[in-house]
Amino acid sequence: MISVHDADPMGVLGRLTVFRREFHRCLTARGDALFELADALLCGDGPVRSLVELSLVGEHRRGHGSLYAALNRGRVDVDRLRTALAAVPVPRAADGRIVLAVDVTCWLRPEAHTSPQRVLCHTYGRGKDTHIMIPGWPYSLVTALETGRGSWTAPLDARRLAPGDDAASVTAGQVREVVARLIAAGQWRPGDPDIWIVAVAGYDGPRLAFLLADLPVRLLVRMRSDRVLRRRAPLARTGNGRPPRHGGEFIFGDPTSWGTPDAESTTVTRLYGTATARAWNQLHPRLTHRTAWTSHTGTLPIIEGTVILLRVDRLPSGAIAKPVWLWWSHPQATTAETNLLWQAFLRRFDIEHTFRMLKQTLGWTSPKLRDPHAADRWTWLVLATYTQLRLARGAVADLRRPWERPAPPERLTPARVRRGFRHLHGKAGTPASAPKPSRPGPGRPPGLPNHHPATRHDVHIVTSTEPKDSPKKPKKSTTPRPRRTG
């Protein structure tokens, strides 16, 4: 295992100090106020419930007015901050490769009628465990995963999805930029193992593999259980006409169409019992000139990959264990690779711990900001704060509660590292200058009403793949057929 605690001539405190100085240089307007806001986020006691409470933290030496002014009128050099995040040592898998996870999480703003660029975000578990669409700002995050069980990841990039954005195209461009920055920072060199990209079923795996074919990456994406893929076309030509482009069907819901697997592995685990993974090579979806492939000119490509079926005896929560279908962008997989791939997919769920840490402890989605650009600045402050917590691992004391178990420094959770960061703050120093004394402005005269109310904005529900004049979708069938196209 290669972690962020590898031998470094600068040490933990040196790497933290260098990153803090570079982070301060990325704040090009109202930088001192933004930097002290991030310090207050690092050194606060307990979860963050509101922005104004951060102005009471000792590390925030300015008034609460400068806090809001910094978020509304400050500036962050996002490109430089992305480069700084890529320069921080990233965690790696057991074989030394980099594993990245991509996912979308939402900043819900259902009552923010004066906030622009809101879209309907998919949520689950609200009400009676149903899928509900709630207005908000969706953010696409790319994070590096660690090996083994844990709640740490390394966020490398975040991007807000604007109305009309194609999630696959945005994610492909985002991953391309992250990989380019990792290569420029020396995190990946020619001859190193390919970078793995792990995603959930909401992503179009074959399309992402087609868009990222020129990069040293391999994609591992979960697929729905109603998919139908195709085998290679037979070499022997039968009858007249043009030769076929697709072979026989591989129906996920029909075991009689599977045939003999090309690789199979069985592993006994502590949490899931016996885990059995079977792989079938050289399978591809049958693409059509619809949805994401509408603008594609010429013949549609044949995107081959490996399909992996994972079955386990039980789940840790006690729920029924359903089979998991995975698609790997390489047309062949050995038994050893199949065993590594499904374990890498399980590590993807560590990103859920990061989302919970960002939202529930660091208060990422707690502020009631109106401007989405201010929300972007706050998002980058939160990511920079989390990166500092990751760099401080192993250098802070474990200030555990009486009911918590002792843990070695390398096993501390992000929340427990934040609890002891205040004692490390003085050693790391601060590049922010001391505030100058000033008097508050007069504000609005008493009794004078606001004659310029804020503009109210509608929620966007139209995406780039669904034109405005498209007809209404028919009702969902109670007996759906398997999806035979990509």
Side-chain angles (χ1 to χ4, degrees), residues 13 55 58 91 106 143 148 150 184 188 244 270 275 281-282 414 441 447 464:
L13 186 59
S55 64
C106 300
T143 62
W188 186 92
R270 183 175 63 87
N281 297 335
Q282 299 176 349
S464 61

Side-chain angles (χ1 to χ4, degrees), residues 5 70 72 98 125 146 215 227 253 316 335 351-352 401 405 464:
H5 311 295
N72 291 326
I98 298 176
E146 291 192 358
L215 294 180
R227 294 296 299 269
T335 301
I351 196 175
E352 304 296 338
R401 302 290 189 257
R405 294 181 179 179
S464 61

Side-chain angles (χ1 to χ4, degrees), residues 101-104 197-205 208 220-224 325-326 345 348-349 351-352:
V102 294
D103 203 354
V104 175
I197 311 295
V198 187
V200 291
Y203 290 89
D204 189 350
L208 285 177
L220 180 66
V221 184
R222 183 174 182 176
M223 277 191 165
R224 292 174 46 170
W325 292 93
L326 303 176
F345 178 77
R348 191 217 69 85
F349 292 97
I351 196 175
E352 304 296 338

Side-chain angles (χ1 to χ4, degrees), residues 369-436:
L369 300 174
R370 175 184 300 175
D371 187 5
H373 300 291
D376 295 342
R377 297 185 195 101
W378 172 246
T379 299
W380 282 108
L381 289 185
V382 173
L383 293 185
T385 297
Y386 185 89
T387 303
Q388 294 183 58
L389 293 177
R390 189 166 63 90
L391 289 174
R393 293 170 63 183
V396 298
D398 182 17
L399 305 180
R400 67 182 184 91
R401 302 290 189 257
W403 54 85
E404 294 176 343
R405 294 181 179 179
E410 64 275 4
R411 297 295 299 173
L412 292 180
T413 62
R416 290 171 74 164
V417 172
R418 176 175 178 258
R419 199 181 298 163
F421 189 88
R422 174 172 290 176
H423 302 280
L424 190 65
H425 178 266
K427 299 179 182 178
T430 174
S433 58
K436 299 178 181 179

Side-chain angles (χ1 to χ4, degrees), residues 164-204:
D165 281 347
D166 180 19
S169 300
V170 172
T171 303
Q174 194 176 11
V175 171
R176 180 178 297 276
E177 294 175 0
V178 168
V179 172
R181 287 192 293 268
L182 291 175
I183 295 176
Q187 307 279 12
W188 186 92
R189 296 181 177 87
D192 292 347
D194 289 339
I195 299 175
W196 285 0
I197 311 295
V198 187
V200 291
Y203 290 89
D204 189 350

